[in-house]
Amino acid sequence: MPSYTVTVATGSQWFAGTDDYIYLTLVGSVRCSEKHLLDKPFYNDFERGAVDSYDVTVDEELGDILLIKIEKRKYWLHDDWYLKYITLKTPYGDYIEFPCYRWFTGEGEIVLRDGKAKLARDDQIHILKQHRRKELEMRQKLYRWMEWNPGFPLSIDAKYHSDLPRDIQFDSEKGVDFVLNYSKAMENLFVNCFMHMFQSSWSDFADFEKIFVKISNTISEYVMQHWQEDFMFGYQFLNGCNPVMIQRCTKIPEKFPVTTEMVECSLERQLTLEEEIQQGNIFIVDFEILDGIDANKTDPCTLQYLAAPICLLYKNLENKIVPIAIQINQTPGDDNPIFLPSDAKYDWLLAKIWVRSSDFHVHQTITHLLRTHLMSEVFGIAMFRQLPAVHPVFKLLVAHVRFTIAINTKAREQLICECGLFDKANATGGGGHVQMVQRAMKDLTYQSLLFPEHVKARGMDSKEDIPYYFYRDDGLKVWEAIWSFTMEIVEIYYESDEVVMEDMELQDFVNDVYVYGMRGKKASGFPKSIKTREKLAEYLTVVIFTASAQHAAVNFGQYDWCSWIPNAPPTMRAPPPTEKGVVTIEQIVETLPDRGRSCWHLGAVWALSQFQENELFLGMYPEEHFIEKPVKEAMVKFRKNLDVIVSGITERNKNKKLPYYYLSPDRIPNSVAI
């Protein structure tokens, strides 16, 4: 009588173990086995973190094992079980691996295939084709698209985190409760004592240090000390939280009538403004997207204001980028003067503060929320709906959508919803952030998610001309490492472009992203289908880079750059100045956020800058969805390439007062999960 050794691995998460009855059925090419209860006498089976082995004897030869069925039946009370994997040692000494990495809730059964990645064309046996089809049918019922707001990318059809399929929920919902985390952050930062003075202004800039001094770190403290300097202002457009706005200026816009006479005291090469533009020394940042956005009106006791500045910057003889002109709103006129470094100290400082505040809004809502969180959710939903677990692209991407749908659902539940936490401190709360996403969708193109192309499109690709753009330099290295890795994986499973074109599951995945994520807009440039191996590797690189590196670059520096409130005011409580020579220090302090909003803001940027507990960083794949040796070798090579990048960044950052480490692979989580 043939005997099999079955090894079952239970997850190590909290409450991953089970006391329920677990049954196993082997499905062979000749016949199925009887249902076997996996149970050892006087032993507590399937405990959290356990790896248990069982001998299963069958009456007759089963043939090649195609599937295994795991059935769970209630023992006393229903409990969930997290099954990592099952391995099977056959009577002939062969080992077959069955990855699972799923929660088993309630009673029912899970049917698993062996871990070899297979395209649909590789499955010729009816039972395997049927398993593939049924899995997708079930997933498409579980993972449904929903429009959260008109004009947004579609999201998951779930109102609350608890409504999500168990497999994509956080292990502990408590860990991602925004209300709890923000409150805990404010308590840890010793700022609760200011909350009772919610709407009172700070006395002066030094007063802000009362909520800052106990929590300073290398970068945030440096920002506090140097935030008023033009160098620090310009540097942030290259390596701060929002390093994606700056672009080389090829022509001064008509709406921003800056002349040589205005800025000649800032130009160091004895050239005219036009000549400086021709030599590539002038840069521009335009916050036009904020023009006409409704400011937050949720608090009738505090008026809040938004602006849509345009800022001109100059590369000086030290290769530093510094501001040389700021217009606080889009339409030129006597009541919208162009502020200059040669103006009175507080005129120029307030103009820069308006730019920093506008940059904060665009960063939070577009660069961060839309272009990393919401896009990664689109890729994740489409993946679950259209790719079975046996598909190599599913196996590759599943680690890069881990907890993404969950964190976004939690954000819609608590953070960016009506009357949510976002409304408490942000001038774009109360609906302005929704208007911004709707506008930004028009400019969200596939091309703009291609990191090298986006840098080039902004004229920021020359390392010789712009030597201190670390976001670009590190990002290009990480992009290249990811692209090389995805290309290797693609070449393992797709021997030709024809195989790519014939993979209808892959094409359905790409089409789902286009139709539901980008709402079928042709102008988005998102492909409806993929026809070559090279384009497939590029597409997969976009998915992985967006979820990992791009999110890390714009998320984890939030405390560093935004904790000093005057450097990133989340709201402004007075309108922009309409004339020069009238701004005072008192006026600036009255314009900046009050004590309560400052505290909420500080709690938010602290909480958002923290890594998840048990974070998985780029190149880490502890869940072994792939079992093939060539893929494992590609993963080892990928990690080595990433280690080289880490070493280079570490070496560059030595003795730097402003180290740039957000794109160091050892600080890049695999997925958007915070």
Side-chain angles (χ1 to χ4, degrees):
M1 297 173 71
S3 180
Y4 295 81
T5 301
V6 178
T7 302
V8 182
T10 297
S12 55
Q13 302 95 317
W14 286 106
F15 311 114
T18 184
D19 290 324
D20 285 354
Y21 295 112
I22 303 299
Y23 297 91
L24 172 82
T25 304
L26 303 176
V27 180
S29 56
V30 176
R31 61 179 59 83
C32 292
S33 73
E34 297 290 318
K35 186 163 70 175
H36 293 267
L37 174 65
L38 300 182
D39 181 54
K40 288 189 271 192
F42 312 110
Y43 178 76
N44 202 347
D45 305 273
F46 315 116
E47 287 293 282
R48 174 185 165 214
V51 178
D52 301 317
S53 292
Y54 305 86
D55 290 325
V56 172
T57 303
V58 297
D59 294 333
E60 299 178 86
E61 288 284 346
L62 304 177
D64 295 332
I65 302 300
L66 304 176
L67 303 168
I68 57 173
K69 291 181 185 176
I70 309 296
E71 197 173 332
K72 181 169 169 286
R73 296 296 171 205
K74 185 171 73 171
Y75 168 66
W76 181 247
L77 295 171
H78 277 305
D79 60 358
D80 296 343
W81 178 42
Y82 188 86
L83 173 59
K84 288 173 68 177
Y85 61 82
I86 290 178
T87 60
L88 197 66
K89 183 183 178 184
T90 70
Y92 313 104
D94 298 323
Y95 283 89
I96 309 173
E97 296 178 44
F98 295 86
C100 182
Y101 301 104
R102 286 161 58 188
W103 283 98
F104 204 147
T105 58
E107 294 189 312
E109 70 175 28
I110 289 179
V111 182
L112 300 177
R113 291 186 57 156
D114 77 90
K116 290 177 185 170
K118 296 259 181 86
L119 302 177
R121 72 197 288 265
D122 300 326
D123 281 338
Q124 301 300 322
I125 300 171
H126 174 72
I127 193 171
L128 296 180
K129 289 181 179 180
Q130 186 182 43
H131 176 265
R132 201 173 189 119
R133 189 182 69 250
K134 281 185 175 179
E135 182 184 4
L136 289 182
E137 286 172 357
M138 180 196 71
R139 291 239 215 95
Q140 284 163 14
K141 290 175 184 174
L142 275 177
Y143 296 85
R144 301 175 305 277
W145 295 103
M146 175 191 76
E147 181 181 71
W148 186 62
N149 265 306
F152 273 50
L154 294 196
S155 50
I156 195 76
D157 184 8
K159 192 173 181 182
Y160 303 107
H161 177 269
S162 55
D163 297 336
L164 294 171
R166 182 68 182 91
D167 285 326
I168 60 169
Q169 290 182 26
F170 282 103
D171 298 329
S172 167
E173 193 175 346
K174 185 180 176 184
V176 288
D177 187 301
F178 286 107
V179 176
L180 189 68
N181 286 350
Y182 284 20
S183 302
K184 189 165 65 177
M186 286 188 285
E187 186 179 323
N188 291 342
L189 303 175
F190 306 100
V191 296
N192 275 343
C193 56
F194 297 102
M195 288 298 287
H196 69 283
M197 303 178 281
F198 194 87
Q199 287 166 331
S200 64
S201 297
W202 300 93
S203 305
D204 51 32
F205 292 144
D207 206 15
F208 282 99
E209 291 187 44
K210 291 179 180 175
I211 64 166
F212 183 86
V213 69
K214 288 180 185 269
I215 45 163
S216 58
N217 67 15
T218 308
I219 293 180
S220 60
E221 190 166 12
Y222 194 87
V223 171
M224 178 187 74
Q225 293 164 352
H226 298 277
W227 71 282
Q228 297 188 46
E229 298 171 19
D230 288 352
F231 153 72
M232 176 60 75
F233 178 90
Y235 179 86
Q236 291 179 74
F237 286 118
L238 297 176
N239 301 310
C241 267
N242 196 25
V244 302
M245 294 288 290
I246 190 170
Q247 53 188 328
R248 199 184 291 274
C249 180
T250 55
K251 183 184 177 184
I252 300 292
E254 288 184 14
K255 64 183 180 179
F256 189 27
V258 183
T259 64
T260 298
E261 290 69 35
M262 288 179 179
V263 297
E264 62 185 346
C265 63
S266 298
L267 306 180
E268 299 178 355
R269 295 177 177 85
Q270 311 306 315
L271 301 173
T272 65
L273 182 57
E274 288 69 27
E275 288 168 338
E276 294 279 16
I277 289 172
Q278 287 169 10
Q279 291 202 6
N281 297 324
I282 303 295
F283 302 85
I284 193 166
V285 180
D286 189 348
F287 295 96
E288 183 179 13
I289 196 161
L290 282 163
D291 192 28
I293 296 293
D294 294 331
N296 193 339
K297 296 181 178 66
T298 58
D299 179 2
C301 300
T302 304
L303 291 175
Q304 299 180 60
Y305 296 89
L306 291 167
I310 314 171
C311 180
L312 207 64
L313 300 115
Y314 175 61
K315 185 184 72 172
N316 65 20
L317 290 173
E318 294 180 314
N319 282 326
K320 291 178 179 176
I321 305 288
V322 293
I324 58 173
I326 293 170
Q327 185 176 283
I328 300 182
N329 275 305
Q330 293 284 306
T331 307
D334 294 339
D335 60 348
N336 186 26
I338 295 174
F339 290 93
L340 308 165
S342 54
D343 290 338
K345 175 183 176 181
Y346 292 127
D347 282 4
W348 181 235
L349 182 60
L350 183 55
K352 289 192 293 181
I353 290 172
W354 271 105
V355 173
R356 293 296 315 134
S357 183
S358 300
D359 192 62
F360 175 80
H361 297 310
V362 172
H363 162 260
Q364 285 290 8
T365 303
I366 298 169
T367 309
H368 183 209
L369 173 63
L370 172 61
R371 295 179 67 89
T372 64
H373 277 259
L374 300 186
M375 280 312 305
S376 291
E377 180 174 4
V378 165
F379 293 133
I381 298 170
M383 182 200 78
F384 282 114
R385 285 176 54 81
Q386 303 298 349
L387 297 175
V390 72
H391 197 287
V393 172
F394 179 94
K395 289 174 179 280
L396 175 65
L397 296 185
V398 67
H400 299 287
V401 298
R402 176 177 178 257
F403 298 147
T404 299
I405 300 171
I407 195 69
N408 287 0
T409 303
K410 200 70 182 171
R412 286 187 287 267
E413 186 183 335
Q414 292 184 323
L415 188 60
I416 56 175
C417 55
E418 193 173 342
C419 303
L421 290 175
F422 197 82
D423 292 353
K424 287 188 180 293
N426 293 287
T428 49
H433 59 302
V434 172
Q435 296 170 1
M436 287 176 71
V437 170
Q438 290 165 336
R439 283 189 188 181
M441 277 294 287
K442 296 169 187 171
D443 299 319
L444 177 54
T445 63
Y446 178 72
Q447 202 75 2
S448 72
L449 295 181
L450 296 168
F451 185 83
E453 295 302 318
H454 191 233
V455 170
K456 195 173 181 180
R458 293 184 287 114
M460 300 296 292
D461 50 319
S462 172
K463 292 185 182 182
E464 188 178 339
D465 289 349
I466 313 157
Y468 303 119
Y469 197 11
F470 305 128
Y471 163 75
R472 171 202 60 203
D473 299 343
D474 298 352
L476 287 171
K477 289 172 187 170
V478 174
W479 174 275
E480 181 60 33
I482 295 172
W483 186 88
S484 298
F485 173 54
T486 58
M487 194 70 223
E488 275 198 68
I489 303 299
V490 167
E491 287 175 341
I492 290 169
Y493 295 102
Y494 295 89
E495 67 230 31
S496 67
D497 293 343
E498 287 72 30
V499 178
V500 172
M501 286 188 280
E502 290 166 5
D503 183 356
M504 294 317 299
E505 290 169 342
L506 171 69
Q507 303 302 341
D508 288 343
F509 161 62
V510 172
N511 190 57
D512 239 29
V513 171
Y514 171 72
V515 171
Y516 296 102
M518 300 315 298
R519 313 299 293 267
K521 291 178 182 172
K522 193 174 180 181
S524 71
F526 272 73
K528 300 178 188 178
S529 61
I530 290 180
K531 297 178 180 174
T532 68
R533 296 194 296 174
E534 192 165 331
K535 282 294 178 186
L536 174 55
E538 177 189 88
Y539 194 91
L540 297 174
T541 303
V542 166
V543 177
I544 295 172
F545 188 89
T546 299
S548 58
Q550 186 60 26
H551 179 256
V554 303
N555 181 70
F556 293 105
Q558 290 189 74
Y559 180 74
D560 289 345
W561 295 101
C562 303
S563 57
W564 179 245
I565 308 291
N567 189 59
T571 188
M572 300 287 265
R573 295 179 298 139
T578 56
E579 56 182 311
K580 295 188 181 186
V582 297
V583 178
T584 63
I585 179 67
E586 290 77 19
Q587 184 181 337
I588 292 177
V589 172
E590 286 294 325
T591 301
L592 288 168
D594 53 43
R595 294 170 187 261
R597 286 180 176 82
S598 296
C599 295
W600 272 110
H601 169 80
L602 205 58
V605 297
W606 170 268
L608 291 170
S609 298
Q610 306 307 304
F611 292 120
Q612 283 285 348
E613 195 176 343
N614 303 319
E615 191 72 81
L616 297 176
F617 294 96
L618 193 58
M620 292 183 178
Y621 297 102
E623 293 185 354
E624 295 191 47
H625 291 273
F626 284 108
I627 65 167
E628 292 93 323
K629 189 178 177 183
V631 180
K632 293 191 175 186
E633 288 171 350
M635 286 176 173
V636 170
K637 185 177 173 183
F638 181 38
R639 282 191 288 273
K640 285 181 179 175
N641 289 340
L642 295 175
D643 288 342
V644 170
I645 298 171
V646 171
S647 298
I649 291 173
T650 304
E651 186 62 33
R652 181 197 65 210
N653 284 338
K654 277 183 181 176
N655 304 318
K656 268 195 180 299
K657 291 176 182 174
L658 280 174
Y660 186 82
Y661 44 71
Y662 309 116
L663 283 169
S664 184
D666 59 341
R667 290 172 177 251
I668 299 175
N670 261 335
S671 62
V672 175
I674 189 64

